[in-house]
């Protein structure tokens, strides 16, 4: 069992890297695809909404399917679909073809996003300690690999169709090779769909608890903040502080590097302090970092602010996904799909929210809105307090798992008791749940 669990964790890493690689290959080829399709920036912006719409639809479908059929079945199918669809934008010769390609590619990406996170929750439950943050970290590693590969192929004049076809083939092969190591549904928590009324598919159709919608609301706000860094950090240094193009690019680099490093370290921090502390103090740190950006008188201060912003945000989203998945083992996929779906909408909403604000205030002042969202998240972090129930982490931690022997277990009931004790000392009732 220990060997199979270790293999399942490695397979989950593989799917997160694969997803980051596939998305990264699309991103680095956007200018070439735009030129091949013969469209301008404005039309491309509208077509990218189809990618978002497809992703959202895929997320809402994959979650209940993972609950009904098991993530072990849904993850490989989703990965194959996402990988195979990567080739389509490279073949598109016009706006209609590109729109259809992006819709299908987004759908596959959305399915894979929720399915692999649902399986990650299953792996985390078996390990009985936080492992979710590292999965999200290697997603960024996959994107970095894509950036290097894409730069190499574009520099040698490879066509987008050929490059994306090769990347799609690698992704499909990787998805199939990793599939046998995925975990089967836990006994008594997932059953075949043919069992009718007693199947977990029925659990996915139950009314979504208010706590899940609260987690989804936090995901929307925090992923909008992440989208702000993706879309506006470079422009902040260039337009507000007058930095050169090369220096301005360091803003996103600082943020992305801080996010990756923070997520690589996030599991140990979560095991020590619990998910409530991660979101509470991480969001507060992110608010402080972005406030420094708003007030920055010079480029070094702004770069430091974007770095702190990335460190603060790095652990928050993995903890939200983990909390949603552990809330109810039988509805883990559906719950993750709600949180991921609203979070994804938040990331897409970043340009739409900040852009219009810049018509009234300078860009850096518009960042006051995401600062406020971070403050709200910090004040609402108690919603992540783990509770005993059907989704709680139970059973002994595997001896072969990463981390030192005797490492504190989380984010299960023990982490919940620690959070409760800290809240009691601070004057917050330790009983009850938002």
């Amino acid at each position: 069992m220990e060997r199979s669990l270790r293999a399942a964790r490695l397979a989950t890493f593989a799917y997160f890297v694969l997803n980051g690689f596939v998305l990264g290959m699309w991103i680095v080829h956007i200018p070439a695809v735009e030129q091949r399709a013969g469209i301008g920036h404005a039309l491309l912006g509208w077509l990218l909404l189809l990618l978002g719409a497809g992703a959202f639809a895929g997320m809402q479908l994959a979650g209940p399917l993972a609950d009904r059929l098991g993530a072990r079945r849904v993850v490989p199918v989703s990965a194959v679909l996402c990988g195979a669809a990567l080739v389509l934008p490279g073949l598109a010769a016009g706006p209609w073809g590109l729109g259809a390609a992006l819709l299908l590619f987004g759908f596959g990406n959305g399915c894979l996003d929720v399915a692999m996170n649902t399986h990650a929750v299953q792996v985390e439950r078996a390990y009985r300690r936080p492992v979710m943050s590292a999965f999200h970290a290697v997603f960024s590693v996959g994107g970095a690999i894509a950036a290097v590969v894409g730069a190499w192929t574009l520099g040698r004049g490879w066509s987008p169709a050929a490059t994306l076809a090769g990347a799609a083939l690698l992704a499909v092969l990787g998805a199939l090779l990793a599939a046998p190591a995925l975990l089967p549904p836990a006994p008594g928590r997932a059953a075949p769909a043919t069992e009718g009324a007693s199947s977990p598919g029925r659990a996915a159709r139950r009314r979504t608890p208010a706590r899940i919608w609260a987690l989804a609301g936090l995901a929307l706000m925090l992923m909008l903040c992440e989208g702000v860094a993706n879309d506006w950090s470079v422009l902040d240094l260039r337009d507000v502080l007058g930095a050169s193009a090369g220096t301005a690019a360091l803003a996103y680099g600082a943020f992305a590097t801080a996010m990756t490093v923070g997520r690589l370290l996030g599991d140990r921090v979560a095991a020590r302090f619990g998910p409530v502390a991660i979101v509470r103090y991480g969001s507060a740190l992110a608010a402080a970092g972005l406030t420094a950006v708003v007030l920055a008188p010079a480029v070094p201060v702004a770069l430091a602010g974007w770095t702190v912003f990335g460190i603060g945000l790095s652990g928050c989203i993995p903890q939200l996904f983990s909390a949603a998945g552990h809330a109810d083992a039988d509805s883990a996929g559906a719950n993750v799909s709600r949180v991921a779906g609203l979070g994804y909408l938040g990331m897409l909403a970043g340009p739409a929210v900040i852009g219009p604000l810049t018509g009234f205030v300078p860009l850096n002042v518009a960042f006051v809105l995401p600062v406020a969202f971070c403050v709200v998240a910090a004040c609402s972090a108690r919603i992540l307090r783990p509770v005993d129930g059907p989704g709680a982490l139970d059973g002994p931690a595997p001896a072969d798992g990463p981390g030192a022997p005797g490492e504190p277990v989380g984010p299960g009931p023990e982490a919940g008791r620690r959070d409760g004790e800290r809240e009691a000392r601070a004057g917050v009732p330790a009983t009850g749940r938002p």
Side-chain angles (χ1 to χ4, degrees), residues 156-187:
R156 282 154 181 75
W158 290 25
S159 70
T163 305
L164 295 180
L169 179 60
L170 287 176
V172 169
L173 290 176
L176 296 176
L177 289 174
L182 297 178
L183 292 177

Side-chain angles (χ1 to χ4, degrees), residues 135-244:
F135 292 137
H136 285 248
V138 298
F139 173 89
S140 301
V141 172
I145 294 173
V148 173
V149 172
W152 188 86
T153 57
L154 288 169
R156 282 154 181 75
W158 290 25
S159 70
T163 305
L164 295 180
L169 179 60
L170 287 176
V172 169
L173 290 176
L176 296 176
L177 289 174
L182 297 178
L183 292 177
R189 285 182 172 168
T194 56
E195 289 187 11
S198 64
S199 74
R202 182 177 181 181
R205 294 191 294 271
R206 294 182 305 204
R207 181 185 296 273
T208 303
R211 181 170 183 257
I212 298 301
W213 288 121
L215 293 171
L218 289 181
L220 186 149
M221 288 188 288
L222 291 175
M223 290 185 73
L224 185 147
C225 294
E226 185 176 339
V228 165
N230 295 339
D231 298 320
W232 302 104
S233 58
V234 175
L235 289 173
D236 171 60
L237 260 69
R238 191 189 71 183
D239 296 348
V240 177
L241 297 174
S244 66

Side-chain angles (χ1 to χ4, degrees), residues 47-77:
L47 292 178
L48 288 175
L49 293 178
L50 292 175
L51 188 149
F56 184 79
M59 289 175 179
Q60 303 316 304
L61 176 66
L65 277 179
D67 292 333
R68 177 180 290 271
L69 304 176
R72 185 179 190 177
R73 297 181 180 179
V74 180
V75 170
V77 174

